[in-house]
Amino acid sequence: MRQRILTLFVALLILPQSLFAQETKPVKNVIFMIADGTSLSAISLARWYQNIEEGKLTKLNLDPYLSGSIITFCSNAPIGDSAPTTSTFMNGIPSIQGMVGTYPYATENDLISVDQEMAYRPIVSLTEATRLLHNRKVGVVMTSEFPHATPADATSHSYSRKRYDWIIPQMVYNSIDVLIGGGAGLLRNEQAKYLEDKGYGVYCNDHTSLSTHEGDKIWSLFSDRDVPYDIDAVEGVDPKIDEMVTAALRHLDQNNPNGFFLLIEGSKVDWAAHANDPVAIATEVLAFDRAVKVALDFAKADGNTIVVLTSDHGNSGISIGRRDLPDYAGTSKDKLFGPLTKISKSSVGLAEMISEADESEIASLFEQVTTFTPGDKELEILKLLRKLELASDTERPAIKQQLKEMNITGEGALYTGGLSDYIASIYRTKMYIGFTTSGHTGEETFLASYAPTEEQRLKGVHTNMELHDYLRRALGIEPSMMELTHQYYAPHSEVFRGMKIEITGNDPKDKKLTVRHKRKTLTIQSFTNQLYVDGKFQELPMPVVYVDKRGEFYLPVSLKDLLQ
């Protein structure tokens, strides 16, 4: 009974907006920008940071275009991680925590109606659909590593966001025209060669590529994994997100009569929120906002582009004001925010500097970056945490015991280490900024929109499913993603029914499908688009996906015609 009520609640939540869905005239280009894990309070903090720096009340670039809010949820929970929440933006189906571009399995807590027969099946994304149906160019920009959940949602399919070995080959073989972001250490040589042979410019840690590459297609990757926080970036080495967006738009717009779909993720607001680092949160939001200006300037000049801005979920329960500091109400901005704008590095950036410096330099280095000196106990803990990061396995237990006696765990939050986490905790003591958690939160996220006409803008309160529908209509895609899924991601047991089927290989990434019928033989490797029929090579429009939980390859229905 309780579950029926929950499902009915979500249905009623969706129904009114669906009944009055505004008509959206399709446009040539759609730019979809996600500030990952960005709560409305994080935007407020960034706005105040900018006000303090400039010495006057100012607005963010996104402010004039704020138009409503988005309710995000999973198939079975009100709060999700980036994988199922962005999946919903991409395909319209809320999914399960950790699932990338994949249909959910049924649970006793489902908030939507789930077809158990579809469980674990890959679902066509907007990125794939608009390329297949309209031959649009597609691009992805991110500050995380490129196979991270949000970019993966648009370009791949996996029931585990952690399986980069499944996700990366799908992205390589999925005809992404422009991909710029982190993860230079994740692209294998043979994958880079495949892209180069297809006409891509492939660059690793080459900042000049953003301005000098002339071709239509580019993969430009930086750092082994994620791109450094904006405040920690080395000019001319580490790319800023507005630089990456500028480059992406240049390549997507040239020689392109059919338009493009560009997904942009300011990935690391989320990481900063997990770390409860107010400095990194504010500066990452501001970096994202500079990229917003680039997108808006392009859209205004183009005259046929829609820009939609949102977040996939909240994070950290950040508040400007804390209950343990009862005098915060009515206090000055200097006391409320403390040295927010005076600290010149994120907690991660300062931790890296401390790890590389001599122990004797820690106090002076800390003061140089933060403008205040750590206390004696803080300095002692900083030294111990530095030792822990540099220690061998045999040395670590003794150091951890010392930290335990000082009520310090030595562990880190998601995406961070113990030293940077402790530095963030020191930052927080100097400001009246509060946090309720180091995880995701369930409040509505912000919505901002720009369109060629006021009538085309998305306004009001919408669910993540409805936002997907708006993007689909803006791209002029008539069939639903589920209709396309039945066409392009059908189970091989149905497609090749009555034919001789053989699956070889151990790990899903090594699986090979061989089908024989009427003296013809078809073979294909999992997570690639490399198809052979009687030894003759051809490429599929998208990679096939193997799902071990179903024992199925998912591939186009049309393949059966090749064996007739």
Side-chain angles (χ1 to χ4, degrees), residues 185-203:
L186 296 172
L187 189 69
R188 296 166 61 179
N189 291 337
E190 60 268 30
Q191 293 166 339
K193 185 178 185 308
Y194 168 80
L195 291 167
E196 289 170 345
D197 290 345
K198 298 294 289 183
Y200 286 80
V202 181
Y203 303 92

Side-chain angles (χ1 to χ4, degrees), residues 191-297:
Q191 293 166 339
K193 185 178 185 308
Y194 168 80
L195 291 167
E196 289 170 345
D197 290 345
K198 298 294 289 183
Y200 286 80
V202 181
Y203 303 92
C204 291
N205 295 310
D206 184 351
H207 191 275
T208 62
S209 69
L210 298 180
S211 57
T212 60
H213 178 71
E214 292 299 329
D216 288 357
K217 299 179 179 182
I218 182 174
W219 276 46
S220 186
L221 304 175
F222 298 86
S223 306
D224 281 346
R225 293 270 180 155
D226 53 293
V227 174
Y229 283 122
D230 185 84
I231 197 172
D232 301 328
V234 177
E235 188 173 353
V237 176
D238 302 312
K240 303 278 192 173
I241 188 170
D242 58 315
E243 295 175 323
M244 295 192 283
V245 172
T246 298
L249 289 170
R250 179 167 65 89
H251 293 300
L252 290 170
D253 191 47
Q254 65 184 5
N255 305 319
N256 185 15
N258 299 324
F260 63 79
F261 176 52
L262 173 60
L263 171 66
I264 301 164
E265 183 194 32
S267 320
K268 294 185 65 174
V269 184
D270 181 67
W271 298 30
H274 280 300
N276 289 181
D277 181 342
V279 177
I281 290 173
T283 52
E284 284 300 293
V285 172
L286 290 174
F288 179 81
D289 191 58
R290 289 192 292 273
V292 169
K293 183 178 187 304
V294 173
L296 289 171
D297 286 349

Side-chain angles (χ1 to χ4, degrees), residues 459-479:
K459 303 174 185 177
V461 179
H462 297 270
T463 67
N464 45 8
M465 300 168 72
E466 291 164 343
L467 176 53
H468 160 80
D469 196 51
Y470 173 82
L471 294 171
R472 181 178 63 81
R473 287 183 278 119
L475 289 165
I477 300 173
E478 293 185 8

Side-chain angles (χ1 to χ4, degrees), residues 157-172:
H157 311 274
S158 171
Y159 62 77
S160 172
R161 60 179 288 179
K162 297 179 181 179
R163 291 304 302 254
Y164 283 7
D165 55 337
W166 301 353
I167 293 169
I168 291 173
Q170 292 182 69
M171 297 180 75
V172 169

Side-chain angles (χ1 to χ4, degrees), residues 415-482:
Y415 306 123
T416 56
L419 178 56
S420 61
D421 270 11
Y422 184 66
I423 291 170
S425 74
I426 298 176
Y427 287 2
R428 295 194 296 272
T429 65
K430 305 297 179 180
M431 309 170 207
Y432 282 26
I433 309 300
F435 296 89
T436 62
T437 178
S438 60
H440 298 158
T441 50
E443 70 274 16
E444 297 162 36
T445 62
F446 77 97
L447 169 66
S449 59
Y450 170 85
T453 66
E454 189 67 17
E455 292 74 22
Q456 289 175 279
R457 292 179 65 204
L458 183 63
K459 303 174 185 177
V461 179
H462 297 270
T463 67
N464 45 8
M465 300 168 72
E466 291 164 343
L467 176 53
H468 160 80
D469 196 51
Y470 173 82
L471 294 171
R472 181 178 63 81
R473 287 183 278 119
L475 289 165
I477 300 173
E478 293 185 8
S480 71
M481 298 304 103
M482 288 304 297

